[in-house]
Amino acid sequence: IAQRVVSVKIENSVEARPQTNIQLADVVYESVTEGGITRFNAIFHSQAPESVGPVRSARLSDTYIVPQYHALFGFSGASPTVNAAVNAAHIENLSEDAGVTAPFTRSKKHAAPHNLFGSVPGFRAEAERRGMPTTMSITGLAFDRSAAPGVPPAITQITIPFSSYNTVRWDYDAASNTYLRVNNGKAFMDAGTGQQVHATNVVVMWVQHNTASTDVVGSTTYEIVLAGSGRATVFRNGQRYDCTWEATKDAPPVFRAADGTQVKLSPGNTWMQIIRTDINISMQ
């Protein structure tokens, strides 16, 4: 239980799909990047696949997520601004920019730069070789097998418009008690498991997106402030729980109902859907 968490940055462009073994992550954060595409930060703890990816570059949001889990961070590189922020956050950097090569391989199934894959055991071995701690005590997310009744009616479908480029839908499957992921109208598959990606919990977090920079073609880089508090909705067991999220820079979010009681997750994997405060989701 004290084994180091490994955080891996995984891309979500069309060229990257289907991703490999993202289903095996305990927690996945999805947030928007330049041009309206999204990117994933996949948190691995209970399982350690030999291949995950495609691995791509870090973003400012990772400087909040990675320290909350005291994780080792595997990614392919970053802009000078993001690299400086990663160093300032005292993140243990296992990227190609830091000279790390052993955990990475190139696949012939994808064209560059969408063909870099990382090994979770490899990241842990590299960390040990570099003298980084191999164990860590962290504050985990809160789980409970039972749950109070949610906001009626039961929810069978959640649609999240991250941007004009990326719309995600989660379809509740009562037989498996999970939510099946659909991305831009297509079933979102995992090349490692051969199955449609599914989540036990889907958590929508409305988070402040501050403009960090804008490039020459007008694409905006955001600082997504995942510390503090904001609005959230937890979906589990086909039920909806409106709540708030609270997070510090050294612990993952806590979810609270209006009466202050904690909204807990169902044991299983969790997808955190991080959206701007002005975005509306739809449910049915």
Side-chain angles (χ1 to χ4, degrees):
I1 196 66
Q3 183 172 238
R4 288 299 297 275
V5 171
V6 176
S7 162
V8 184
K9 195 68 175 182
I10 297 176
E11 75 165 310
N12 188 32
S13 64
V14 173
E15 297 85 353
R17 300 174 194 154
Q19 288 82 354
T20 296
N21 288 326
I22 197 168
Q23 179 61 52
L24 303 185
D26 296 285
V27 184
V28 178
Y29 286 76
E30 181 175 16
S31 58
V32 73
T33 62
E34 301 80 4
I37 63 171
T38 61
R39 197 160 281 187
F40 307 123
N41 188 313
I43 305 292
F44 293 91
H45 190 212
S46 65
Q47 301 189 72
E50 287 287 353
S51 180
V52 296
V55 179
R56 290 299 296 272
S57 54
R59 292 296 184 272
L60 290 171
S61 58
D62 302 311
T63 64
Y64 292 90
I65 298 167
V66 178
Q68 288 175 345
Y69 295 87
H70 301 283
L72 304 167
F73 189 25
F75 60 105
S76 66
S79 68
T81 298
V82 174
N83 263 326
V86 167
N87 292 332
H90 305 291
I91 289 171
E92 282 154 326
N93 182 334
L94 295 175
S95 72
E96 288 193 315
D97 279 8
V100 174
T101 58
F104 293 107
T105 56
R106 292 278 176 182
S107 168
K108 295 181 180 178
K109 295 181 180 180
H110 294 261
H114 315 285
N115 64 344
L116 184 67
F117 289 77
S119 162
V120 173
F123 286 126
R124 290 192 173 120
E126 181 69 14
E128 184 173 10
R129 189 183 73 79
R130 290 171 174 251
M132 298 173 182
T134 58
T135 61
M136 186 70 69
S137 176
I138 66 170
T139 301
L141 295 164
F143 297 91
D144 194 338
R145 293 190 183 279
S146 61
V151 177
I155 301 298
T156 58
Q157 191 176 92
I158 311 148
T159 301
I160 307 167
F162 280 90
S163 69
S164 58
Y165 187 89
N166 195 71
T167 296
V168 173
R169 195 180 80 228
W170 295 92
D171 296 334
Y172 179 64
D173 177 58
S176 63
N177 194 27
T178 62
Y179 298 85
L180 304 175
R181 180 180 167 94
V182 177
N183 207 142
N184 290 343
K186 296 182 179 179
F188 192 78
M189 304 301 291
D190 186 310
T193 66
Q195 298 178 341
Q196 186 173 1
V197 168
H198 51 279
T200 302
N201 307 282
V202 175
V203 181
V204 180
M205 295 172 60
W206 284 265
V207 178
Q208 186 67 41
H209 287 51
N210 297 329
T211 299
S213 63
T214 303
D215 65 18
V216 292
V217 296
S219 295
T220 300
T221 299
Y222 294 105
E223 180 183 13
I224 301 172
V225 185
L226 284 160
S229 62
R231 174 186 166 206
T233 298
V234 171
F235 298 92
R236 54 166 289 181
N237 307 104
Q239 301 292 310
R240 162 190 166 196
Y241 300 87
D242 293 329
C243 53
T244 59
W245 63 269
E246 305 168 0
T248 63
K249 282 205 167 187
D250 59 2
V254 172
F255 305 101
R256 296 195 184 279
D259 63 3
T261 58
Q262 196 165 354
V263 176
K264 297 183 179 181
L265 305 174
S266 183
N269 68 322
T270 301
W271 277 64
M272 306 285 194
Q273 306 285 265
I274 311 302
I275 58 176
R276 298 193 319 266
T277 56
D278 62 341
I279 288 178
N280 293 317
I281 66 172
S282 59
M283 300 165 284
Q284 63 182 50

